[in-house]
Amino acid sequence: MNLSKSRYTKGIQCPKMLWMESHMKEWFDESVLNQAILETGNQVGDLAMGYYGDFVEVPFTLTGKNQMVEDTQEFLRQALEGTGPVNIAEATFAYDGNLCMVDILRVEPDGVRIVEVKSSTHVNDIYYHDMAFQTWLLGKCGMNVKSVSLMHLNSQYVRSGDLDLQQLFVPEDCTEQVMVMVPQVEGTVAALKDCADGDAEPEQPIGCQCNNPYECGYKNWCWRDVPPQSVFELNRLRKQKAFDLYHDGVVTLKQLAEESGISLTERQQVQVDCAAQGLDAVIDRHAVADFLAGMEFPLYFLDFETFQPAVPPFDGVKPYQQIPTQYSLHVQREPHGELEHYEFLADAVGDPRRAVAEHLVEHIPGDGTTLAYNMSFEKGRIAELANAFPDLEEQLLAINQGMQDLIVPFSKGWYFLPVMGGSASIKKVLPALYPDDPELDYGQLEGVHNGSQAMAAFADLATMDPEQAARTREQLLRYCELDTLAMVKIWQRLVEVAAA
């Protein structure tokens, strides 16, 4: 196997990934690939090319990497002669079958400076390995690397007018950290190639590397022997602790119940006892009843959808700020009254926040109790809207003041079913409470089945033809509606168990 910088960092995370890629690629789970994240990386990379002024970009070809290497050498010659830009984007180098494309190569008379561009807002440890590989490879190609920097987004930049690239990006000098790592790269490259090309599957036990720094696409294969109700499902157990237990032979929650000297939270103890005793459910009806008694009609079941652009598209917005684009609202005005539904989806062109805020205060006048599921998200968006629009601040903050969190009975362990797997997320709780109910099955929706898809769909609306846009808008509305209908059904089940 030949290595690129992306393959090299995969191998740093787990060498077995490269073996799987060579020998069992059919097991790769493509759901770990987020197309929106890839597109964000491309957008950020394209913008960053202009950070240092004039530049030339090496034309990309799928099959002609040799041509890209030759083009890079020509651009290097022009830069040194003063007939071309000194900034070369996607500068391509190859050595002994290894390849890297440098995001921005800054050419000087006595050497070059590497600038790696990432769409994150900080430096991650894996980035140092990425830059070390590039530095090593360029050194093998005879280049004198004078410095190595990581350019990332500035999380504190607030857009005001035209994009300011000097404020949007932060270049951090990583030369010292990277140069210390370079001498080890050659040996690591050889070891990764030996692993990838070996006949036998590497004996690599599962561990934190399965999800860190990225979720591995071959996890289904490596985790195929992990049984249901394993220690990995224990609520809020540190990942490393779960792996330590697993490798010590404590694999299931039932086995964990037989261990002494392991301190568990109240919620964890409920989960372990449930597994050990074979219980179908653990319900504290009094706690659930007390929780419900704290609500005041009318009840407003609220859910937002947002999009989160890396590059702020509107004034007053930071990189990766969650921008509300739509909401669904189910209203129960009295205990046995007719359920009402309201919804709003903003236009895809322009800043949607004002329209969302205005419709929201119209639909929730500030009385009763607003219910959200994991309410910190909804409260955060409402607080941001209140800050952006002072004339609506009082009404918006009144909604927050009367908000309660429907996740509480499940996160506290007052209502626990083993099939929730230790999670209190609505995507686990809903099918546990209402198994095989097609009305509540997200898989039955058309086009948009989860929040990530909703985010990507809204971001793409502006580029769609009218027919496709209308179809996508309807899909977004139905997805968001199901989120609040799910909350209503969960509340109804809580009412049932409290009254039993």
Side-chain angles (χ1 to χ4, degrees):
M1 173 179 282
N2 295 323
L3 297 182
S4 61
K5 61 181 184 179
S6 61
R7 275 183 173 168
Y8 181 80
T9 52
K10 282 182 186 177
I12 293 296
Q13 179 174 339
C14 179
K16 187 175 176 179
M17 271 198 230
L18 300 183
W19 187 90
M20 294 292 295
E21 188 175 324
S22 290
H23 297 81
M24 298 177 66
K25 197 167 187 177
E26 68 276 10
W27 273 89
F28 185 77
D29 179 5
E30 294 190 357
S31 68
V32 304
L33 299 177
N34 189 317
Q35 189 60 37
I37 291 177
L38 298 175
E39 291 173 0
T40 292
N42 292 334
Q43 179 192 17
V44 170
D46 289 346
L47 277 175
M49 291 179 188
Y51 182 88
Y52 295 104
D54 291 341
F55 67 91
V56 62
E57 181 181 2
V58 175
F60 178 79
T61 58
L62 282 172
T63 57
K65 295 299 189 295
N66 289 338
Q67 184 60 53
M68 295 179 70
V69 172
E70 293 175 10
D71 289 343
T72 298
Q73 293 302 312
E74 175 59 22
F75 292 146
L76 279 167
R77 182 188 66 78
Q78 294 174 10
L80 291 171
E81 292 178 353
T83 59
V86 296
N87 301 305
I88 304 174
E90 302 298 332
T92 306
F93 297 87
Y95 167 76
D96 193 27
N98 304 297
L99 180 82
C100 78
M101 288 176 278
V102 180
D103 291 335
I104 302 173
L105 189 72
R106 307 197 67 202
V107 184
E108 298 180 359
D110 58 343
V112 295
R113 300 184 186 275
I114 292 174
V115 181
E116 174 70 6
V117 179
K118 297 294 184 184
S119 57
S120 66
T121 56
H122 57 278
V123 181
N124 292 322
D125 288 344
I126 195 67
Y127 299 163
Y128 292 118
H129 292 281
D130 186 329
M131 293 182 284
F133 177 79
Q134 296 180 59
T135 304
W136 167 78
L137 198 152
L138 264 66
K140 288 296 184 179
C141 293
M143 308 299 295
N144 175 33
V145 178
K146 298 176 63 178
S147 70
V148 188
S149 298
L150 192 287
M151 183 182 290
H152 60 78
L153 294 170
N154 174 13
S155 62
Q156 300 307 307
Y157 169 64
V158 179
R159 180 167 182 166
S160 179
D162 293 338
L163 274 177
D164 184 342
L165 295 185
Q166 301 303 311
Q167 294 296 318
L168 176 63
F169 290 105
V170 177
E172 288 195 31
D173 189 345
C174 301
T175 307
E176 183 176 351
Q177 299 96 318
V178 169
M179 291 303 181
V180 170
M181 301 170 69
V182 170
Q184 286 75 50
V185 172
E186 188 156 356
T188 303
V189 166
L192 292 178
K193 288 186 174 184
D194 285 345
C195 178
D197 296 337
D199 294 330
E201 179 180 344
E203 295 182 4
Q204 177 66 53
I206 62 175
C208 291
Q209 77 278 359
C210 297
N211 296 288
N212 184 36
Y214 309 111
E215 185 176 1
C216 175
Y218 297 105
K219 185 176 175 180
N220 288 339
W221 170 260
C222 296
W223 286 58
R224 64 194 182 279
D225 294 328
V226 176
Q229 296 195 50
S230 73
V231 291
F232 299 108
E233 295 181 10
L234 191 60
N235 178 259
R236 294 187 178 278
L237 182 66
R238 289 187 302 108
K239 290 294 184 184
Q240 187 57 60
K241 178 64 175 176
F243 285 115
D244 290 344
L245 288 169
Y246 180 83
H247 294 307
D248 286 342
V250 182
V251 176
T252 66
L253 295 177
K254 189 174 182 179
Q255 290 174 317
L256 184 62
E258 300 167 358
E259 295 291 313
S260 60
I262 297 179
S263 178
L264 299 175
T265 67
E266 183 178 352
R267 167 76 192 282
Q268 290 171 340
Q269 193 65 58
V270 167
Q271 193 177 349
V272 170
D273 290 346
C274 196
Q277 299 171 31
L279 302 178
D280 294 328
V282 174
I283 303 173
D284 186 337
R285 300 181 190 279
H286 293 295
V288 172
D290 289 344
F291 171 71
L292 295 173
M295 301 177 188
E296 183 178 322
F297 285 91
L299 302 181
Y300 300 93
F301 299 85
L302 174 66
D303 179 74
F304 280 122
E305 295 302 328
T306 64
F307 80 125
Q308 194 178 15
V311 178
F314 316 119
D315 286 358
V317 175
K318 296 180 179 181
Y320 289 114
Q321 181 172 324
Q322 297 272 11
I323 301 173
T325 57
Q326 71 175 109
Y327 65 82
S328 173
L329 185 71
H330 276 88
V331 183
Q332 187 82 48
R333 299 200 181 274
E334 53 190 18
H336 302 289
E338 184 177 349
L339 187 65
E340 303 170 20
H341 180 245
Y342 304 92
E343 60 189 5
F344 176 75
L345 173 58
D347 293 332
V349 178
D351 189 343
R353 292 176 297 165
R354 178 75 195 191
V356 169
E358 289 178 346
H359 283 79
L360 188 64
V361 297
E362 176 185 340
H363 286 146
I364 306 180
D367 60 340
T369 299
T370 300
L371 288 167
Y373 204 93
N374 202 4
M375 70 180 183
S376 61
F377 181 81
E378 272 67 28
K379 292 188 78 168
R381 305 296 75 76
I382 290 174
E384 289 164 357
L385 291 174
N387 183 62
F389 308 111
D391 59 314
L392 301 176
E393 179 180 12
E394 183 177 351
Q395 294 164 278
L396 288 165
L397 294 184
I399 298 173
N400 269 359
Q401 188 173 1
M403 189 176 293
Q404 293 194 38
D405 202 334
L406 200 56
I407 200 176
V408 168
F410 307 100
S411 63
K412 294 289 188 182
W414 302 337
Y415 197 133
F416 175 75
L417 303 177
V419 291
M420 294 175 186
S423 171
S425 76
I426 197 168
K427 297 301 192 293
K428 291 290 187 178
V429 169
L430 184 66
L433 300 183
Y434 295 93
D436 304 319
D437 187 335
E439 182 189 23
L440 302 175
D441 184 359
Y442 285 86
Q444 297 295 318
L445 294 172
E446 181 182 352
V448 178
H449 306 95
N450 57 54
S452 295
Q453 291 178 352
M455 191 177 293
F458 184 85
D460 291 341
L461 274 176
T463 63
M464 296 179 183
D465 62 62
E467 182 178 346
Q468 184 183 13
R471 184 167 58 251
T472 301
R473 288 180 67 86
E474 181 64 19
Q475 293 169 358
L476 285 166
L477 290 170
R478 299 293 69 79
Y479 167 73
C480 197
E481 179 185 12
L482 182 51
D483 271 347
T484 52
L485 178 61
M487 292 165 59
V488 172
K489 300 293 284 189
I490 290 171
W491 170 76
Q492 290 174 346
R493 182 55 53 87
L494 292 174
V495 171
E496 291 173 7
V497 300

